[in-house]
Amino acid sequence: MDRKTRDILEILENDARSSYEDISALVDMTPEEVQKRIHQLEKAKIIRKYKTVIDWELAGEDYVYAIIELKVTLERKQGYQGIAERLYRFPEVRSVRLLSGEHDIALTVRGKSMKQVAFFVAEKIATLEQVHNTATHFVLKTYKEDGLIMEEPEHVKRLPVSP
């Protein structure tokens, strides 16, 4: 991958709404060349999706997120792929990752309440034949998501000390 392509990808990863004109000025290409390169990257599935990071709490919607760690038994001839495919088909599952360490797979799950997430884990995930152990960690607060700081820190102003 050449440097200009990498730069285009990094620009889009940081801000998917960047225009061809804005990108072209940063990578020393014409807007038409940028458009063509982005189209090639989309066609090759290097660019998989354009995403918006939403602060659902600020929008007034209450969602509960949890990280679910799983210990699993591998299926013959499929390895982790078979169980991963079963897991990522659930609409509640936002991500599936293969891990090193004590657990094999980590899921990010979203629901409307802690109870809903707990029932999902108990009824849909823990009952899968390949799943031997689950550990559920509820997300209490998200400080940074996809490289974006979700809440700017408040700066405390110190009062001047008088002599």
Side-chain angles (χ1 to χ4, degrees):
M1 177 180 300
D2 65 67
R3 184 69 207 162
K4 288 184 180 186
T5 300
R6 183 176 291 111
D7 288 345
I8 290 169
L9 290 172
E10 288 177 358
I11 291 165
L12 289 172
E13 186 177 42
N14 187 50
D15 183 3
R17 295 179 66 183
S18 297
S19 69
Y20 300 134
E21 290 77 16
D22 291 343
I23 296 170
S24 71
L26 295 169
V27 298
D28 193 32
M29 295 171 70
T30 67
E32 293 76 21
E33 291 171 324
V34 169
Q35 182 178 14
K36 182 179 178 185
R37 185 79 53 98
I38 290 172
H39 179 71
Q40 291 168 341
L41 293 165
E42 291 168 341
K43 190 173 181 181
K45 297 193 179 197
I46 293 169
I47 296 176
R48 302 295 296 236
K49 179 180 180 178
Y50 294 94
K51 182 178 178 184
T52 303
V53 178
I54 299 169
D55 187 331
W56 287 110
E57 184 179 345
L58 192 61
E61 290 291 323
D62 292 325
Y63 285 115
V64 173
Y65 290 87
I67 310 300
I68 317 298
E69 296 174 325
L70 308 175
K71 288 185 184 180
V72 300
T73 299
L74 299 180
E75 296 178 2
R76 285 190 178 159
K77 298 181 183 178
Q78 289 193 11
Y80 292 103
Q81 188 68 31
I83 185 67
E85 288 174 1
R86 290 190 72 185
L87 294 166
Y88 66 56
R89 295 193 194 289
F90 290 111
E92 296 88 346
V93 175
R94 308 294 291 173
S95 69
V96 179
R97 293 185 171 89
L98 181 63
L99 303 176
S100 64
E102 195 169 321
H103 291 88
D104 302 309
I105 293 177
L107 309 176
T108 303
V109 174
R110 181 174 86 173
K112 289 299 270 176
S113 68
M114 290 176 81
K115 184 177 180 179
Q116 184 185 45
V117 170
F119 276 115
F120 170 73
V121 173
E123 294 175 359
K124 303 285 185 182
I125 302 299
T127 58
L128 293 173
E129 185 177 325
Q130 301 88 346
V131 175
H132 291 286
N133 185 307
T134 67
T136 302
H137 309 277
F138 285 99
V139 176
L140 303 177
K141 183 167 182 68
T142 299
Y143 294 98
K144 189 173 184 177
E145 182 76 28
D146 285 333
L148 179 68
I149 296 170
M150 298 300 286
E151 183 177 305
E152 295 297 326
E154 293 182 27
H155 296 286
V156 178
K157 292 184 180 181
R158 294 184 66 172
L159 297 175
V161 179
S162 52

